Amino acid sequence: MSRLDSAIRRLEAQRDCIATATREIGELAGPILEIGLGNGRTYDHLRERMPGRDIFVFERQVAAHPTSTPPPERLILGNLGDTLPRARLRIGAPACLAHADIGCGNADIDAATASLLARWLPALMLAGGVILCDQPLSSEHLEEKPLPASVARGRYHYYVVAGNRAR
Ligand SMILES: C[S@@+](CC[C@H](N)C(=O)[O-])C[C@H]1O[C@@H](n2cnc3c(N)ncnc32)[C@H](O)[C@@H]1O
């Protein structure tokens, strides 16, 4: 598969997983976490599809178009290893949805980033909240759910947060 086809499928998977999660979250309260702003495409999609929700964005260095950049009070700037462990106070309430598209194509770096997410993200979430990620996350606090029928197995990962996790 060409890199173009692979990128298209990743973006389609992202969009279809977000659509399913938006329905499943329903009236669950709480903000959204966008992990990795990139050029802001997914951030823009989330704010369009889930209007009225606060979206907190984690990014080490902003390079997005200004129209797709979050306001400073919702931008959590820095490396995830520093920002995730301290984010709870800043966010103020547990999140209903987290989306993390953080792969860079280097297997070692991606595994290290996924391990950070698995370690810190569940404690920032509501029980029953959804985490969508381009990387597999290994955590006793997460239950992996089937993907939407349009998404090939392994292309994206869909997790629901368990109720009995440590805070
Ligand atoms: C693939 S891009 C995200 C693309 C985004 N979904 C979009 O719509 O453009 C991944 C982003 O995650 C950020 N990122 C990756 N690892 C990170 C880390 N450890 N700490 C902070 N940001 C990180 C990168 O800087 C990059 O902007």
Side-chain angles (χ1 to χ4, degrees):
M1 183 188 300
S2 73
R3 289 182 60 206
L4 177 63
D5 283 334
S6 178
I8 288 168
R9 288 188 192 188
R10 182 172 59 87
L11 295 179
E12 285 176 343
Q14 205 176 99
R15 182 196 56 197
D16 294 354
C17 287
I18 289 171
T20 301
T22 303
R23 281 194 300 277
E24 290 193 354
I25 287 161
E27 299 301 309
L28 211 58
I32 295 171
L33 310 180
E34 165 69 339
I35 319 282
L37 178 66
N39 69 26
R41 241 187 252 131
T42 317
Y43 168 70
D44 185 52
H45 188 71
L46 288 167
R47 72 181 170 182
E48 181 191 287
R49 296 305 158 103
M50 301 185 83
R53 300 261 188 188
D54 288 342
I55 306 177
F56 287 87
V57 179
F58 293 75
E59 175 56 62
R60 66 176 143 223
Q61 190 173 12
V62 173
H65 190 274
T67 59
S68 296
T69 300
E73 64 273 19
R74 303 230 174 77
L75 179 62
I76 301 179
L77 206 51
N79 195 289
L80 291 170
D82 300 320
T83 55
L84 278 174
R86 301 187 196 139
R88 185 64 200 274
L89 263 183
R90 172 89 185 268
I91 295 166
C96 62
L97 172 66
H99 171 258
D101 172 22
I102 38 78
C104 66
N106 176 307
D108 292 339
I109 294 174
D110 288 347
T113 311
S115 153
L116 272 177
L117 293 175
R119 166 75 180 86
W120 295 107
L121 206 44
L124 299 178
M125 304 290 301
L126 279 169
V130 172
I131 297 177
L132 307 173
C133 190
D134 68 329
Q135 306 295 320
L137 302 180
S138 173
S139 164
E140 60 184 317
H141 306 302
L142 300 180
E143 187 185 349
E144 186 149 21
K145 295 287 186 185
L147 292 162
S150 56
V151 181
R153 197 157 167 234
R155 183 157 294 277
Y156 234 71
H157 302 273
Y158 192 118
Y159 301 96
V160 171
V161 181
N164 60 348
R165 68 215 181 281
R167 279 293 172 87

